[in-house]
């Protein structure tokens, strides 16, 4: 239960609410002092440092839920979640091919082309066309157009990053919105559970307080009866004659005191049963916090899966887009040079026009590829933004889990620490009651040792005002205490 503003009236009447106020961090020094004066400095310090570790979900369950979330995302997208660096290789190959191709043409193909073209060039020059074949310059379109078309076709066939982009888009429209909704639901469930547990705790406090007030009233009446009895007894022991009314009263006082004893016993048993029932009901809310922790873990599995490849995918889309842009530019320029060479009327005219068509097609394919990759990069960027938002909500939900689990643990401790103040001096007169009876002797008949009485609510402390703990304990051992030492909280 998140505390935004402090209700001091409630904090001064409810231990359950007071400790939540203290842990919220929204209490002033003056308010803290008021709470310390009301509930005691020891209690205030204990409430602030409550230990909720024994109520946290265990490591095995948390990790299993996280793996389940990751596996579900993989199954849903159909992608294993690995990183791909194919576009880096593509970029190197694409640019390198154009550069290397020029070198090959210059060192190997150029001499061959030059020899083949010598007769044609001579004839052209003789015809007055004065055309010079420069294989490493104008004729370099042979490599540019060929490489450009090959890269364009390769792109259209392989569609680099498409699988990763499809997975990211699926996450964006399915798993991530569902994860966001699950976290929101978990927050709502924890808030409701915390409020309900606090109300149950306050109910237990109220029942315990009412019982103590009734016991105090019974003790006051008992003392009044006992005072009258002792006065009549003293008069009789002095040898004074009791009147018939005094004799009748003296006979009635012991049973009346016995009635007070029995009433206190009844109050103790009834209160113990009610408080224990409330304590059991509070304990059932443990399931809400376990389910919330599992939800946090499952969502963490989904976002970890997405984070493993989405940013890498966006980068690869940019790399591939640049590579395709370079290929489109170089292929288009090569097509232009091929067309210019063909228009010159040289011997290679027909082939030059064919190369020009190849370069144009390669440029078109790569232009489309570059545009597609940039669009994909934006789509993945949208998924990354939503994934980060889900992670932020997951962190908020984890913080809430930690806070509400502390409140849950604190409420359980509050109920377990509730005490009934059972008076010690409740002896009834043996001569009138038939046998010496008391709260202590009746408790002893129910299996208590000489040091204190055990009721369904706990082990009574023997001090000036014996108290009965409402902690579901048997011989000092709490039944609802967990023994699992392998615990952890959801991690951010």
């Amino acid at each position: 239960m998140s505390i935004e503003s402090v209700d001091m009236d409630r904090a001064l009447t409810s231990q359950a609410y007071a400790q939540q106020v203290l842990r919220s961090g929204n209490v002033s020094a003056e308010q803290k002092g008021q709470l310390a004066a009301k509930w005691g400095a020891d209690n205030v310090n204990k409430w602030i440092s409550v230990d909720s570790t024994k109520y946290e979900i265990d490591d095995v369950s948390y990790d299993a839920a996280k793996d389940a979330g990751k596996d579900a995302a993989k199954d849903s997208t159909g992608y294993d979640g690995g990183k791909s660096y194919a576009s880096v290789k593509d970029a190197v190959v694409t640019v390198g091919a154009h550069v290397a191709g020029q070198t090959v043409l210059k060192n190997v193909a150029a001499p061959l082309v030059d020899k083949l073209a010598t007769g044609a060039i001579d004839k052209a020059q003789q015809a007055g066309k004065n055309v010079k074949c420069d294989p490493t310059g104008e004729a370099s379109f042979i490599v540019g157009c060929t490489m450009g078309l090959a890269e364009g076709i390769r792109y259209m066939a392989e569609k680099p990053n498409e699988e990763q982009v499809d997975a990211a888009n699926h996450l964006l429209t399915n798993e991530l919105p569902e994860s966001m909704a699950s976290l929101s639901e978990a927050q709502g469930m924890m808030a409701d559970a915390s409020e309900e547990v606090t109300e149950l705790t306050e109910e237990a406090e109220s029942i315990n307080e009412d019982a103590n007030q009734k016991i105090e009233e019974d003790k006051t009446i008992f003392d009044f009866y006992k005072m009258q009895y002792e006065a009549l007894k003293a008069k009789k022991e002095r040898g004074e004659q009791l009147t018939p009314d005094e004799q009748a009263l003296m006979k009635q006082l012991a049973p009346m005191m016995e009635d007070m004893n029995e009433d206190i016993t009844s109050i103790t048993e009834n209160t113990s049963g009610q408080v224990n029932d409330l304590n059991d009901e509070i304990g059932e809310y443990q399931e809400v916090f376990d389910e919330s922790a599992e939800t946090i873990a499952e969502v963490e599995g989904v976002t970890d899966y997405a984070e493993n490849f989405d940013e890498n995918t966006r980068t690869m889309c940019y790399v591939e887009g640049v590579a395709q842009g370079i290929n489109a530019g170089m292929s288009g320029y090569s097509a232009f040079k091929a067309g210019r060479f063909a228009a010159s009327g040289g011997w290679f005219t027909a082939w030059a026009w064919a190369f020009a068509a190849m370069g144009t097609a390669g440029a078109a394919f790569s232009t489309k590829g570059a545009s597609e990759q940039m669009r994909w990069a934006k789509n993945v960027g949208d998924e990354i933004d939503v994934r980060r938002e889900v992670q932020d909500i997951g962190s908020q939900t984890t913080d809430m889990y930690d806070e509400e689990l502390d409140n849950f643990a604190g409420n359980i401790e509050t109920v377990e620490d509730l005490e009934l103040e059972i008076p010690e001096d409740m002896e009834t007169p043996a001569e009138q009651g038939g046998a010496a009876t008391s709260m202590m002797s009746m408790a002893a008949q129910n299996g208590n040792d000489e040091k204190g009485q055990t009721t369904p609510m706990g082990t009574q402390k023997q001090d000036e005002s014996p108290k009965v703990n409402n902690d579901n304990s048997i011989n000092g051992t709490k039944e609802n205490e967990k023994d699992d030492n392998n615990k952890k909280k959801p991690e951010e």
Side-chain angles (χ1 to χ4, degrees):
M1 182 176 63
S2 179
I3 306 293
E4 300 297 335
S5 60
V6 177
D7 182 350
M8 281 304 294
D9 290 337
R10 185 180 180 187
L12 293 173
T13 57
S14 166
Q15 295 184 59
Y17 181 74
Q19 59 181 295
Q20 293 181 34
V21 165
L22 288 165
R23 286 193 295 271
S24 72
N26 294 325
V27 60
S28 67
E30 180 182 357
Q31 291 171 327
K32 184 176 179 181
Q34 290 179 280
L35 295 175
K38 169 63 178 179
W39 303 111
D42 289 343
N43 277 333
V44 166
N45 292 331
K46 182 178 72 172
W47 293 340
I48 292 175
S49 58
V50 66
D51 182 9
S52 62
T53 54
K54 64 184 178 183
Y55 301 106
E56 295 167 5
I57 188 173
D58 62 86
D59 291 336
V60 174
S61 297
Y62 186 86
D63 291 341
K66 183 175 178 179
D67 289 341
K70 185 177 295 186
D71 291 341
K74 288 181 179 180
D75 292 341
S76 180
T77 61
Y79 180 62
D80 64 7
K83 292 182 174 67
S84 172
Y85 295 94
S87 290
V88 174
K89 181 185 69 175
D90 293 344
V92 172
V93 171
T94 299
V95 176
H98 282 283
V99 174
Q102 300 298 328
T103 302
V104 170
L105 181 63
K106 180 177 181 180
N107 297 330
V108 179
L112 178 61
V113 172
D114 190 46
K115 288 181 180 179
L116 293 174
T118 299
I121 293 174
D122 289 342
K123 291 179 182 179
Q125 288 177 336
Q126 292 172 4
K129 292 187 177 181
N130 195 24
V131 175
K132 180 175 177 57
C133 178
D134 181 3
T136 63
E138 291 297 327
S140 64
F141 64 78
I142 297 174
V143 170
C145 291
T146 302
M147 293 297 181
L149 178 60
E151 174 58 21
I153 292 174
R154 182 205 65 80
Y155 176 84
M156 297 304 294
E158 295 181 4
K159 288 294 182 77
N161 305 313
E162 183 175 34
E163 185 178 11
Q164 293 84 353
V165 171
D166 286 345
N169 286 336
H170 193 280
L171 289 170
L172 177 62
T173 57
N174 294 279
E175 276 69 32
L176 292 179
E178 291 172 4
S179 295
M180 199 176 296
S182 296
L183 291 173
S184 178
E185 182 180 5
Q187 289 184 8
M189 289 175 59
M190 286 191 290
D192 291 343
S194 186
E195 182 64 38
E196 290 164 10
V197 167
T198 300
E199 291 175 358
L200 292 171
T201 303
E202 290 176 337
E203 183 180 352
E205 289 183 86
S206 178
I207 290 173
N208 191 79
E209 183 179 359
D210 291 344
N212 279 328
Q213 288 178 354
K214 187 62 171 66
I215 290 172
E216 184 178 1
E217 293 171 3
D218 284 351
K219 179 60 168 61
T220 300
I221 296 172
F222 178 91
D223 289 343
F224 176 71
Y225 291 160
K226 188 171 184 179
M227 180 182 65
Q228 289 183 303
Y229 179 85
E230 295 295 340
L232 293 171
K233 180 181 178 182
K235 181 178 179 180
K236 183 178 179 182
E237 289 175 348
R238 289 194 303 268
E240 299 179 25
Q241 185 68 33
L242 298 179
T243 66
D245 288 344
E246 289 175 332
Q247 291 178 3
L249 177 59
M250 191 171 183
K251 290 180 180 180
Q252 294 172 357
L253 286 172
M256 292 167 69
M257 282 186 279
E258 188 65 36
D259 288 343
M260 294 300 98
N261 257 318
E262 292 176 358
D263 192 44
I264 291 175
T265 300
S266 178
I267 292 171
T268 302
E269 293 176 351
N270 290 337
T271 302
S272 171
Q274 292 178 56
V275 172
N276 281 339
D277 288 344
L278 289 170
N279 198 33
D280 290 341
E281 191 173 348
I282 289 171
E284 292 175 0
Y285 283 89
Q286 172 77 50
E287 184 177 353
V288 173
F289 296 103
D290 287 346
E291 289 178 357
S292 297
E294 289 176 359
T295 296
I296 293 170
E298 288 172 359
V299 171
E300 186 179 345
V302 173
T303 55
D304 281 0
Y305 161 78
E307 188 175 15
N308 189 60
F309 74 89
D310 58 8
E311 294 191 28
N312 173 78
T313 297
R314 180 172 62 177
T315 300
M316 292 302 101
C317 285
Y318 283 132
V319 170
E320 186 70 39
V322 170
Q324 293 305 313
I326 291 173
N327 187 68
M330 297 183 75
S331 185
Y333 181 62
S334 295
F336 167 74
K337 289 199 294 182
R340 188 171 62 182
F341 188 91
S344 68
W347 68 277
F348 208 54
T349 297
W351 286 102
W353 283 120
F355 279 110
M358 292 168 60
T360 301
F365 290 152
S366 287
T367 297
K368 179 181 178 181
S371 175
E372 187 171 56
Q373 291 290 323
M374 293 304 173
R375 185 177 73 254
W376 286 355
K378 181 181 181 303
N379 292 344
V380 177
D382 293 339
E383 180 272 332
I384 291 172
D385 290 341
V386 175
R387 186 257 297 164
R388 289 174 177 169
E389 183 179 357
V390 172
Q391 288 175 315
D392 288 342
I393 297 174
S395 296
Q396 295 168 11
T397 308
T398 299
D399 291 342
M400 182 178 182
Y401 171 85
D402 292 340
E403 179 182 350
E404 299 302 357
L405 199 65
D406 283 347
N407 291 335
F408 176 71
N411 281 319
I412 288 179
E413 287 186 10
T414 296
V415 175
E416 291 176 346
D417 290 343
L418 291 177
E419 296 175 330
L420 287 177
E421 299 176 355
I422 310 300
E424 285 185 311
D425 52 339
M426 295 290 290
E427 295 286 341
T428 56
E431 57 205 84
Q432 296 294 337
T437 59
S438 68
M439 284 295 294
M440 296 301 294
S441 62
M442 286 186 290
Q445 294 171 9
N446 290 318
N448 295 286
D449 59 27
E450 297 177 354
K451 295 182 179 179
Q453 62 176 333
T454 301
T455 74
M457 300 171 73
T459 301
Q460 175 181 306
K461 301 177 183 178
Q462 291 302 312
D463 52 20
E464 294 181 358
S465 296
K467 299 177 181 178
V468 178
N469 292 334
N470 299 300
D471 63 356
N472 272 338
S473 65
I474 299 176
N475 295 327
T477 303
K478 297 175 184 176
E479 293 179 332
N480 65 350
E481 184 170 315
K482 297 187 176 181
D483 296 324
D484 189 351
N485 294 321
N486 183 25
K487 301 287 184 179
K488 78 171 183 180
K489 294 182 181 179
E491 298 175 353
E492 297 184 6

